[in-house]
Amino acid sequence: MPSPTALPPLIDAAALQALLQGPGQPLLVLDCRFQLSDTDAGRQAHAQGHIPGALYAHLDEDLSGAKTPDGRQGRHPLPSPEAWQATLRRWGVRANTRIVAYDDMGGAMAARLWWLAHWAGHPHVQVLDGGWPAWLAQGGTVSHTLAATPAPGDVVVHIKPEMVLTTTDVETLPPHQWLLDARSPDRFRGENETLDPIGGHIPGATNRFFQLNLHNGHFKPADQLRAEFETLLAGRPAHSVVHQCGSGVTACHNLLAMAHAGWPVGRLYAGSWSAWCHRQG
């Protein structure tokens, strides 16, 4: 079966309600709520209430691979292609399955799943704009029953290796390519670092805090985001950007924002600062 057509990166709560209520292609809703400070909080929140039929996607267990003892792959390494395909199949994903991901952090976690799906050649994926708060504000039904295990899917991933950079790639980055760091300005400056062993940023990187993509919990309009990113690009092509953050998670928010603004899905330095600072150490 041919690969599904890419969808707009975002879907609003009313449109998702309509999808859930009507017939159509297979639909998978994934709850990506997660807290770095309490890695079981998202699963507990899902058990207490979620969008009907949604399955839970855990950042550490489902959307990341195993950390290496030396830390050189970062805090959230990408899952291997084989592991990611197995996870998608466990969730029942087939070639024509439409995936909608949500969280309660403005898309900070759901964007990671969105980017992973594109990396795997499954572009029929969207993020719920406004996430769980938007669903509640829209009057969406809340389920307190865990969804039944779906029938296994048969999706075949087609990994796009050009979408990922390693630390070695970043060390030898050509002058016409540049890094965009999605962390908060204080962490970029090396202040208030609590997640990684040392603070600071990769030399030459530019800072764009991912939360600047949002207004009142929703993504800003596409034309506004395009103008803001064009200012950052300063005449450089969008494909010159390599996105990074602390561990390759919130960088996906900037990737999604640029896609929402009309650019192709871009590249990620998967290990990000958490891999780079181990290199330095």
Side-chain angles (χ1 to χ4, degrees), residues 161-195:
E162 69 277 7
M163 291 176 62
V164 179
L165 277 75
T166 65
T167 297
T168 300
D169 295 328
V170 172
E171 287 174 334
T172 57
L173 204 63
H176 64 278
Q177 299 182 21
W178 56 289
L179 292 162
L180 188 60
D181 189 328
R183 294 177 300 161
S184 61
D186 59 334
R187 289 186 65 207
F188 182 80
R189 293 191 300 265
E191 303 164 1
N192 305 317
E193 181 59 66
T194 60
L195 296 171

Side-chain angles (χ1 to χ4, degrees), residues 9-19 98 100 126-131 134-135 138 218:
L10 301 175
I11 184 172
D12 64 31
L16 179 56
Q17 282 184 322
L19 285 178
R98 181 175 189 162
V100 176
Q126 295 174 290
V127 168
L128 176 60
D129 189 21
W135 180 259
Q138 183 66 27
H218 292 261

Side-chain angles (χ1 to χ4, degrees), residues 98-237:
R98 181 175 189 162
I99 300 173
V100 176
Y102 74 93
D103 58 35
D104 56 359
M105 296 176 62
M109 302 298 160
R112 166 81 166 205
L113 190 148
W114 170 88
W115 185 89
L116 285 171
H118 278 275
W119 172 63
H122 191 87
H124 218 52
V125 59
Q126 295 174 290
V127 168
L128 176 60
D129 189 21
W132 180 241
W135 180 259
L136 297 177
Q138 183 66 27
T141 303
V142 175
S143 175
H144 304 283
T145 303
L146 297 181
T149 302
D154 60 3
V155 68
V156 176
V157 302
H158 299 283
I159 296 297
K160 299 180 178 180
E162 69 277 7
M163 291 176 62
V164 179
L165 277 75
T166 65
T167 297
T168 300
D169 295 328
V170 172
E171 287 174 334
T172 57
L173 204 63
H176 64 278
Q177 299 182 21
W178 56 289
L179 292 162
L180 188 60
D181 189 328
R183 294 177 300 161
S184 61
D186 59 334
R187 289 186 65 207
F188 182 80
R189 293 191 300 265
E191 303 164 1
N192 305 317
E193 181 59 66
T194 60
L195 296 171
D196 292 310
I198 59 174
H201 62 267
I202 300 171
T206 300
N207 187 216
R208 161 82 182 186
F209 189 23
F210 77 92
Q211 289 190 6
L212 293 175
N213 300 323
L214 302 172
H215 178 69
N216 292 332
H218 292 261
F219 277 81
K220 295 174 180 176
D223 56 353
Q224 182 177 350
L225 283 171
R226 191 168 187 96
E228 292 178 11
F229 277 99
E230 282 179 342
T231 298
L232 277 177
L233 288 167
R236 295 169 289 195

